[in-house]
Amino acid sequence: MVALELYAAMKARRSIRKFKPDPVPRELIARILEMATWSPSGLNWQQWHFLVVTGPKKDELARSYGRIVEFGMPPAGQRNPQQEGFLQWAKTLGGAPVAIVALSPAHGQPGTRKMNLESVASAFSHLLLAATNEGLGTCWMTGPLDNEPELRKVLALPDDKEIVAVTPLGYPAESPAAAPRKSLDEVVTWIGF
Ligand SMILES: Cc1cc2nc3c(=O)[nH]c(=O)nc-3n(C[C@H](O)[C@H](O)[C@H](O)COP(=O)(O)O)c2cc1C
């Protein structure tokens, strides 16, 4: 792939919060996951593990996130359309047919934990870009972790795993405008130039 194509995919990725119900073929999901595994990882431990969730478990995961979002909102009847829209997205994951949950090994030592989390986050970023390349929508989410005990129960997670992020996966039913980006001047300090 020439650099420009990669750059185009990087700029085309959006957080998608509305999906078509069409199923995503398992082979396609596997291809995206395989691309994610080309991420660098600390000590090449390839710390990632991915749960690919569909059906009632995915619905349960969405409902858990919905309750978190609803908790932080005014009661029904007092919400503006934007809040209602966001709640609808949360409760259903925008109707996505699949959710992917990225896991890292739970580790007590802070340096190792950081290395593990960064490795899995990097793979997750690869996953999102590969999905974009396949015309699929995603949305990096950590909001569902705000009730991590419930999410762990839904997914029957063992104690030796930590949840890093969740994304819905499916064919987009919206094409949102790009969210604004800060200028390089705001986020870069050049040292020694
Ligand atoms: C670490 C992280 C956590 C996020 N958590 C959520 C989330 O819980 N719910 C959600 O709707 N979007 C979530 N997002 C998506 C961001 O809102 C989105 O990336 C940002 O607004 C920029 O938009 P873009 O992804 O379309 O470029 C998260 C993104 C990141 C990187």
Side-chain angles (χ1 to χ4, degrees), residues 1 5-6 8-14 24 27-39 50 100 121-138 140 167-172:
M1 188 189 262
E5 284 172 15
L6 176 60
M10 290 166 94
K11 287 183 96 168
R13 187 209 52 78
R14 299 276 180 280
V24 184
E27 315 78 68
L28 184 50
I29 304 174
R31 185 149 78 228
I32 291 163
L33 290 166
E34 207 256 331
M35 292 316 297
T37 67
W38 285 93
S39 163
F50 301 100
I100 297 180
S122 171
F124 206 63
S125 188
H126 276 47
L127 188 153
L128 264 53
L129 289 174
T132 304
N133 195 49
E134 299 286 353
L136 289 162
T138 54
W140 190 313
T167 181
L169 182 77
Y171 295 97

Short mmCIF file of all heavy atoms in Angstrom, two decimals, residues 1 5-6 8-14 24 27-39 50 100 121-138 140 167-172:
data_model
loop_
_atom_site.label_atom_id
_atom_site.label_comp_id
_atom_site.label_asym_id
_atom_site.label_seq_id
_atom_site.Cartn_x
_atom_site.Cartn_y
_atom_site.Cartn_z
N MET A 1 0.85 -1.20 0.00
CA MET A 1 0.00 0.00 0.00
C MET A 1 0.88 1.25 0.00
O MET A 1 1.82 1.35 0.79
CB MET A 1 -0.87 -0.01 1.27
CG MET A 1 -1.93 1.07 1.28
SD MET A 1 -2.75 1.17 2.88
CE MET A 1 -4.20 0.22 2.58
N GLU A 5 -2.56 6.02 0.40
CA GLU A 5 -3.76 5.22 0.67
C GLU A 5 -3.96 5.03 2.17
O GLU A 5 -5.07 5.08 2.67
CB GLU A 5 -3.68 3.88 -0.04
CG GLU A 5 -3.95 4.00 -1.52
CD GLU A 5 -3.70 2.72 -2.27
OE1 GLU A 5 -3.57 1.66 -1.63
OE2 GLU A 5 -3.60 2.79 -3.50
N LEU A 6 -2.86 4.80 2.85
CA LEU A 6 -2.94 4.66 4.30
C LEU A 6 -3.43 5.97 4.91
O LEU A 6 -4.32 5.98 5.77
CB LEU A 6 -1.57 4.27 4.88
CG LEU A 6 -1.51 4.20 6.41
CD1 LEU A 6 -2.49 3.15 6.94
CD2 LEU A 6 -0.09 3.86 6.86
N ALA A 8 -5.21 8.22 3.53
CA ALA A 8 -6.63 8.43 3.18
C ALA A 8 -7.52 7.63 4.14
O ALA A 8 -8.54 8.14 4.62
CB ALA A 8 -6.88 8.02 1.74
N ALA A 9 -7.13 6.40 4.43
CA ALA A 9 -7.92 5.58 5.37
C ALA A 9 -7.90 6.21 6.76
O ALA A 9 -8.93 6.24 7.46
CB ALA A 9 -7.36 4.16 5.42
N MET A 10 -6.74 6.73 7.16
CA MET A 10 -6.65 7.34 8.49
C MET A 10 -7.57 8.55 8.60
O MET A 10 -8.18 8.79 9.64
CB MET A 10 -5.20 7.76 8.78
CG MET A 10 -4.28 6.55 9.00
SD MET A 10 -2.54 7.01 8.94
CE MET A 10 -2.21 7.25 10.66
N LYS A 11 -7.67 9.30 7.49
CA LYS A 11 -8.53 10.48 7.52
C LYS A 11 -10.01 10.13 7.32
O LYS A 11 -10.89 10.89 7.72
CB LYS A 11 -8.08 11.49 6.44
CG LYS A 11 -6.78 12.19 6.83
CD LYS A 11 -6.37 13.22 5.81
CE LYS A 11 -6.83 14.60 6.22
NZ LYS A 11 -6.19 15.66 5.38
N ALA A 12 -10.27 8.99 6.72
CA ALA A 12 -11.66 8.59 6.45
C ALA A 12 -12.32 7.98 7.69
O ALA A 12 -13.55 7.97 7.80
CB ALA A 12 -11.71 7.59 5.31
N ARG A 13 -11.54 7.45 8.61
CA ARG A 13 -12.14 6.80 9.79
C ARG A 13 -12.94 7.82 10.60
O ARG A 13 -12.52 8.93 10.82
CB ARG A 13 -11.05 6.20 10.68
CG ARG A 13 -11.63 5.37 11.84
CD ARG A 13 -10.71 5.36 13.03
NE ARG A 13 -10.32 6.71 13.42
CZ ARG A 13 -11.12 7.53 14.11
NH1 ARG A 13 -12.30 7.15 14.54
NH2 ARG A 13 -10.72 8.76 14.39
N ARG A 14 -14.13 7.40 11.00
CA ARG A 14 -14.98 8.23 11.86
C ARG A 14 -15.52 7.34 12.97
O ARG A 14 -15.68 6.14 12.76
CB ARG A 14 -16.20 8.75 11.10
CG ARG A 14 -15.91 9.63 9.92
CD ARG A 14 -15.68 11.08 10.34
NE ARG A 14 -15.40 11.86 9.17
CZ ARG A 14 -14.20 11.92 8.57
NH1 ARG A 14 -13.17 11.26 9.05
NH2 ARG A 14 -14.03 12.64 7.48
N VAL A 24 -22.04 -8.99 9.32
CA VAL A 24 -20.68 -8.89 8.78
C VAL A 24 -20.14 -10.32 8.69
O VAL A 24 -20.12 -11.03 9.71
CB VAL A 24 -19.78 -8.04 9.69
CG1 VAL A 24 -18.39 -7.87 9.08
CG2 VAL A 24 -20.41 -6.68 9.97
N GLU A 27 -15.47 -14.22 8.03
CA GLU A 27 -14.13 -14.16 7.42
C GLU A 27 -13.63 -12.72 7.36
O GLU A 27 -12.42 -12.48 7.49
CB GLU A 27 -14.13 -14.72 5.99
CG GLU A 27 -14.87 -16.04 5.77
CD GLU A 27 -16.37 -15.85 5.71
OE1 GLU A 27 -16.84 -15.25 4.72
OE2 GLU A 27 -17.09 -16.31 6.62
N LEU A 28 -14.56 -11.80 7.15
CA LEU A 28 -14.17 -10.39 7.09
C LEU A 28 -13.73 -9.90 8.47
O LEU A 28 -12.72 -9.19 8.61
CB LEU A 28 -15.36 -9.57 6.55
CG LEU A 28 -15.16 -8.09 6.32
CD1 LEU A 28 -13.91 -7.81 5.51
CD2 LEU A 28 -16.38 -7.51 5.60
N ILE A 29 -14.46 -10.30 9.48
CA ILE A 29 -14.08 -9.93 10.86
C ILE A 29 -12.70 -10.52 11.16
O ILE A 29 -11.83 -9.86 11.74
CB ILE A 29 -15.12 -10.42 11.89
CG1 ILE A 29 -16.51 -9.88 11.54
CG2 ILE A 29 -14.72 -10.02 13.30
CD1 ILE A 29 -17.64 -10.43 12.42
N ALA A 30 -12.50 -11.76 10.74
CA ALA A 30 -11.21 -12.42 11.00
C ALA A 30 -10.08 -11.68 10.30
O ALA A 30 -8.98 -11.53 10.86
CB ALA A 30 -11.27 -13.88 10.54
N ARG A 31 -10.33 -11.17 9.10
CA ARG A 31 -9.28 -10.45 8.36
C ARG A 31 -8.88 -9.17 9.10
O ARG A 31 -7.71 -8.84 9.23
CB ARG A 31 -9.78 -10.12 6.95
CG ARG A 31 -8.73 -9.47 6.06
CD ARG A 31 -8.91 -9.83 4.61
NE ARG A 31 -9.99 -9.06 4.00
CZ ARG A 31 -10.96 -9.59 3.25
NH1 ARG A 31 -10.99 -10.87 3.02
NH2 ARG A 31 -11.89 -8.83 2.72
N ILE A 32 -9.89 -8.48 9.62
CA ILE A 32 -9.62 -7.24 10.36
C ILE A 32 -8.83 -7.54 11.63
O ILE A 32 -7.88 -6.84 11.98
CB ILE A 32 -10.98 -6.56 10.71
CG1 ILE A 32 -11.62 -6.03 9.42
CG2 ILE A 32 -10.80 -5.45 11.71
CD1 ILE A 32 -13.08 -5.72 9.60
N LEU A 33 -9.23 -8.61 12.31
CA LEU A 33 -8.53 -8.99 13.54
C LEU A 33 -7.09 -9.39 13.22
O LEU A 33 -6.16 -9.09 13.98
CB LEU A 33 -9.26 -10.14 14.23
CG LEU A 33 -10.61 -9.76 14.85
CD1 LEU A 33 -11.42 -11.00 15.20
CD2 LEU A 33 -10.41 -8.89 16.08
N GLU A 34 -6.92 -10.04 12.09
CA GLU A 34 -5.56 -10.46 11.71
C GLU A 34 -4.69 -9.21 11.47
O GLU A 34 -3.53 -9.18 11.86
CB GLU A 34 -5.64 -11.34 10.46
CG GLU A 34 -4.49 -12.33 10.34
CD GLU A 34 -3.45 -11.92 9.31
OE1 GLU A 34 -3.80 -11.25 8.34
OE2 GLU A 34 -2.28 -12.28 9.49
N MET A 35 -5.27 -8.19 10.84
CA MET A 35 -4.52 -6.95 10.62
C MET A 35 -4.15 -6.31 11.96
O MET A 35 -3.06 -5.75 12.11
CB MET A 35 -5.33 -5.96 9.77
CG MET A 35 -5.54 -6.39 8.32
SD MET A 35 -4.08 -7.08 7.51
CE MET A 35 -3.00 -5.68 7.54
N ALA A 36 -5.07 -6.40 12.93
CA ALA A 36 -4.80 -5.84 14.25
C ALA A 36 -3.57 -6.49 14.87
O ALA A 36 -2.78 -5.85 15.57
CB ALA A 36 -6.01 -6.00 15.16
N THR A 37 -3.37 -7.77 14.58
CA THR A 37 -2.25 -8.48 15.21
C THR A 37 -0.90 -8.09 14.60
O THR A 37 0.14 -8.54 15.08
CB THR A 37 -2.42 -10.01 15.11
OG1 THR A 37 -2.32 -10.42 13.74
CG2 THR A 37 -3.74 -10.48 15.69
N TRP A 38 -0.91 -7.24 13.54
CA TRP A 38 0.35 -6.72 13.00
C TRP A 38 0.83 -5.49 13.76
O TRP A 38 1.86 -4.90 13.42
CB TRP A 38 0.20 -6.42 11.50
CG TRP A 38 0.21 -7.70 10.73
CD1 TRP A 38 -0.89 -8.44 10.35
CD2 TRP A 38 1.36 -8.45 10.32
NE1 TRP A 38 -0.48 -9.58 9.72
CE2 TRP A 38 0.89 -9.62 9.68
CE3 TRP A 38 2.74 -8.26 10.42
CZ2 TRP A 38 1.74 -10.58 9.15
CZ3 TRP A 38 3.59 -9.21 9.89
CH2 TRP A 38 3.09 -10.35 9.27
N SER A 39 0.09 -5.13 14.79
CA SER A 39 0.51 -4.02 15.66
C SER A 39 1.83 -4.36 16.35
O SER A 39 2.11 -5.53 16.62
CB SER A 39 -0.57 -3.81 16.72
OG SER A 39 -0.08 -3.04 17.78
N PHE A 50 -9.20 -10.73 21.86
CA PHE A 50 -10.41 -10.07 21.38
C PHE A 50 -11.62 -10.97 21.58
O PHE A 50 -11.58 -12.15 21.22
CB PHE A 50 -10.28 -9.74 19.89
CG PHE A 50 -9.11 -8.85 19.57
CD1 PHE A 50 -7.93 -9.39 19.05
CD2 PHE A 50 -9.16 -7.48 19.80
CE1 PHE A 50 -6.84 -8.58 18.77
CE2 PHE A 50 -8.08 -6.66 19.52
CZ PHE A 50 -6.92 -7.21 19.00
N ILE A 100 -16.81 -5.76 19.38
CA ILE A 100 -15.51 -6.37 19.68
C ILE A 100 -14.98 -5.76 20.97
O ILE A 100 -15.01 -4.53 21.14
CB ILE A 100 -14.51 -6.16 18.52
CG1 ILE A 100 -15.04 -6.86 17.25
CG2 ILE A 100 -13.12 -6.69 18.88
CD1 ILE A 100 -14.14 -6.72 16.03
N ALA A 121 -4.00 -1.25 23.03
CA ALA A 121 -4.58 -0.04 22.42
C ALA A 121 -4.05 0.14 21.00
O ALA A 121 -4.79 0.51 20.09
CB ALA A 121 -4.26 1.18 23.28
N SER A 122 -2.78 -0.14 20.81
CA SER A 122 -2.20 -0.03 19.46
C SER A 122 -2.88 -1.01 18.51
O SER A 122 -3.26 -0.64 17.38
CB SER A 122 -0.69 -0.30 19.54
OG SER A 122 -0.17 -0.40 18.24
N ALA A 123 -3.07 -2.23 18.95
CA ALA A 123 -3.75 -3.22 18.10
C ALA A 123 -5.18 -2.77 17.80
O ALA A 123 -5.69 -2.97 16.69
CB ALA A 123 -3.75 -4.58 18.79
N PHE A 124 -5.80 -2.16 18.79
CA PHE A 124 -7.19 -1.70 18.60
C PHE A 124 -7.24 -0.61 17.53
O PHE A 124 -8.15 -0.57 16.70
CB PHE A 124 -7.73 -1.18 19.94
CG PHE A 124 -9.21 -1.24 20.07
CD1 PHE A 124 -9.87 -2.46 20.04
CD2 PHE A 124 -9.97 -0.09 20.23
CE1 PHE A 124 -11.25 -2.54 20.16
CE2 PHE A 124 -11.35 -0.16 20.36
CZ PHE A 124 -11.99 -1.38 20.32
N SER A 125 -6.25 0.26 17.55
CA SER A 125 -6.18 1.30 16.53
C SER A 125 -6.01 0.68 15.14
O SER A 125 -6.65 1.10 14.17
CB SER A 125 -5.01 2.24 16.87
OG SER A 125 -5.01 3.33 16.03
N HIS A 126 -5.13 -0.31 15.05
CA HIS A 126 -4.97 -1.03 13.77
C HIS A 126 -6.31 -1.63 13.33
O HIS A 126 -6.67 -1.58 12.15
CB HIS A 126 -3.97 -2.19 13.94
CG HIS A 126 -2.53 -1.80 13.81
ND1 HIS A 126 -1.97 -0.73 14.44
CD2 HIS A 126 -1.53 -2.39 13.10
CE1 HIS A 126 -0.69 -0.66 14.13
NE2 HIS A 126 -0.40 -1.66 13.31
N LEU A 127 -7.01 -2.20 14.29
CA LEU A 127 -8.30 -2.84 13.99
C LEU A 127 -9.28 -1.83 13.39
O LEU A 127 -9.95 -2.09 12.38
CB LEU A 127 -8.85 -3.43 15.29
CG LEU A 127 -10.08 -4.32 15.24
CD1 LEU A 127 -10.04 -5.28 16.43
CD2 LEU A 127 -11.37 -3.56 15.27
N LEU A 128 -9.34 -0.64 13.99
CA LEU A 128 -10.27 0.38 13.51
C LEU A 128 -9.91 0.81 12.09
O LEU A 128 -10.79 1.03 11.25
CB LEU A 128 -10.27 1.59 14.46
CG LEU A 128 -11.37 1.61 15.53
CD1 LEU A 128 -11.43 0.34 16.35
CD2 LEU A 128 -11.23 2.81 16.44
N LEU A 129 -8.62 0.94 11.82
CA LEU A 129 -8.20 1.36 10.47
C LEU A 129 -8.47 0.26 9.45
O LEU A 129 -8.90 0.54 8.32
CB LEU A 129 -6.72 1.75 10.48
CG LEU A 129 -6.41 3.05 11.22
CD1 LEU A 129 -4.91 3.28 11.29
CD2 LEU A 129 -7.10 4.25 10.56
N ALA A 130 -8.23 -0.98 9.83
CA ALA A 130 -8.51 -2.10 8.92
C ALA A 130 -10.01 -2.15 8.62
O ALA A 130 -10.41 -2.39 7.47
CB ALA A 130 -8.03 -3.41 9.53
N ALA A 131 -10.83 -1.92 9.63
CA ALA A 131 -12.29 -1.92 9.42
C ALA A 131 -12.67 -0.80 8.44
O ALA A 131 -13.47 -1.02 7.53
CB ALA A 131 -13.01 -1.73 10.75
N THR A 132 -12.07 0.36 8.61
CA THR A 132 -12.33 1.48 7.68
C THR A 132 -11.98 1.06 6.26
O THR A 132 -12.71 1.32 5.31
CB THR A 132 -11.48 2.71 8.07
OG1 THR A 132 -11.76 3.05 9.41
CG2 THR A 132 -11.76 3.90 7.17
N ASN A 133 -10.84 0.40 6.14
CA ASN A 133 -10.36 -0.05 4.82
C ASN A 133 -11.34 -1.03 4.17
O ASN A 133 -11.39 -1.14 2.94
CB ASN A 133 -8.99 -0.71 5.01
CG ASN A 133 -8.25 -0.87 3.70
OD1 ASN A 133 -8.16 0.10 2.93
ND2 ASN A 133 -7.75 -2.05 3.44
N GLU A 134 -12.12 -1.72 5.00
CA GLU A 134 -13.09 -2.70 4.48
C GLU A 134 -14.49 -2.10 4.35
O GLU A 134 -15.47 -2.82 4.12
CB GLU A 134 -13.17 -3.93 5.41
CG GLU A 134 -11.88 -4.69 5.57
CD GLU A 134 -11.51 -5.52 4.34
OE1 GLU A 134 -12.33 -5.61 3.40
OE2 GLU A 134 -10.39 -6.07 4.31
N GLY A 135 -14.60 -0.77 4.58
CA GLY A 135 -15.90 -0.12 4.47
C GLY A 135 -16.79 -0.34 5.67
O GLY A 135 -18.01 -0.15 5.59
N LEU A 136 -16.20 -0.76 6.79
CA LEU A 136 -16.97 -1.02 8.01
C LEU A 136 -16.81 0.13 9.00
O LEU A 136 -15.78 0.81 9.02
CB LEU A 136 -16.48 -2.32 8.66
CG LEU A 136 -16.87 -3.59 7.89
CD1 LEU A 136 -16.00 -4.76 8.35
CD2 LEU A 136 -18.35 -3.91 8.10
N GLY A 137 -17.82 0.31 9.81
CA GLY A 137 -17.79 1.37 10.82
C GLY A 137 -17.45 0.82 12.20
O GLY A 137 -17.75 -0.35 12.51
N THR A 138 -16.84 1.69 13.00
CA THR A 138 -16.44 1.33 14.37
C THR A 138 -16.59 2.57 15.26
O THR A 138 -16.75 3.68 14.74
CB THR A 138 -14.95 0.91 14.43
OG1 THR A 138 -14.17 1.96 13.83
CG2 THR A 138 -14.68 -0.40 13.70
N TRP A 140 -14.48 3.58 18.88
CA TRP A 140 -13.67 3.25 20.08
C TRP A 140 -14.46 3.69 21.30
O TRP A 140 -14.89 4.84 21.38
CB TRP A 140 -12.36 4.01 20.00
CG TRP A 140 -11.31 3.62 21.00
CD1 TRP A 140 -11.46 3.43 22.33
CD2 TRP A 140 -9.92 3.38 20.72
NE1 TRP A 140 -10.26 3.10 22.91
CE2 TRP A 140 -9.30 3.07 21.94
CE3 TRP A 140 -9.15 3.42 19.56
CZ2 TRP A 140 -7.94 2.80 22.04
CZ3 TRP A 140 -7.80 3.16 19.65
CH2 TRP A 140 -7.20 2.84 20.89
N THR A 167 -15.69 -1.82 20.73
CA THR A 167 -16.20 -1.14 19.53
C THR A 167 -17.35 -1.93 18.93
O THR A 167 -17.30 -3.16 18.89
CB THR A 167 -15.11 -0.93 18.46
OG1 THR A 167 -15.71 -0.23 17.34
CG2 THR A 167 -14.50 -2.21 17.94
N PRO A 168 -18.38 -1.21 18.47
CA PRO A 168 -19.35 -1.88 17.60
C PRO A 168 -18.69 -2.09 16.24
O PRO A 168 -17.72 -1.40 15.91
CB PRO A 168 -20.49 -0.86 17.50
CG PRO A 168 -19.85 0.46 17.75
CD PRO A 168 -18.66 0.22 18.63
N LEU A 169 -19.20 -3.03 15.49
CA LEU A 169 -18.68 -3.26 14.14
C LEU A 169 -19.86 -3.57 13.22
O LEU A 169 -20.69 -4.43 13.53
CB LEU A 169 -17.69 -4.43 14.13
CG LEU A 169 -17.04 -4.74 12.79
CD1 LEU A 169 -15.93 -3.74 12.48
CD2 LEU A 169 -16.46 -6.17 12.78
N GLY A 170 -19.91 -2.87 12.11
CA GLY A 170 -20.99 -3.10 11.15
C GLY A 170 -20.89 -2.13 10.00
O GLY A 170 -19.97 -1.31 9.95
N TYR A 171 -21.85 -2.24 9.08
CA TYR A 171 -21.86 -1.33 7.94
C TYR A 171 -22.49 -0.01 8.36
O TYR A 171 -23.60 0.00 8.93
CB TYR A 171 -22.59 -1.97 6.76
CG TYR A 171 -21.86 -3.18 6.25
CD1 TYR A 171 -22.21 -4.47 6.66
CD2 TYR A 171 -20.76 -3.04 5.40
CE1 TYR A 171 -21.50 -5.59 6.22
CE2 TYR A 171 -20.05 -4.15 4.96
CZ TYR A 171 -20.43 -5.42 5.37
OH TYR A 171 -19.72 -6.52 4.95
N PRO A 172 -21.79 1.11 8.12
CA PRO A 172 -22.28 2.40 8.59
C PRO A 172 -23.61 2.79 7.96
O PRO A 172 -23.84 2.55 6.78
CB PRO A 172 -21.20 3.39 8.15
CG PRO A 172 -20.02 2.59 7.76
CD PRO A 172 -20.51 1.23 7.41
#
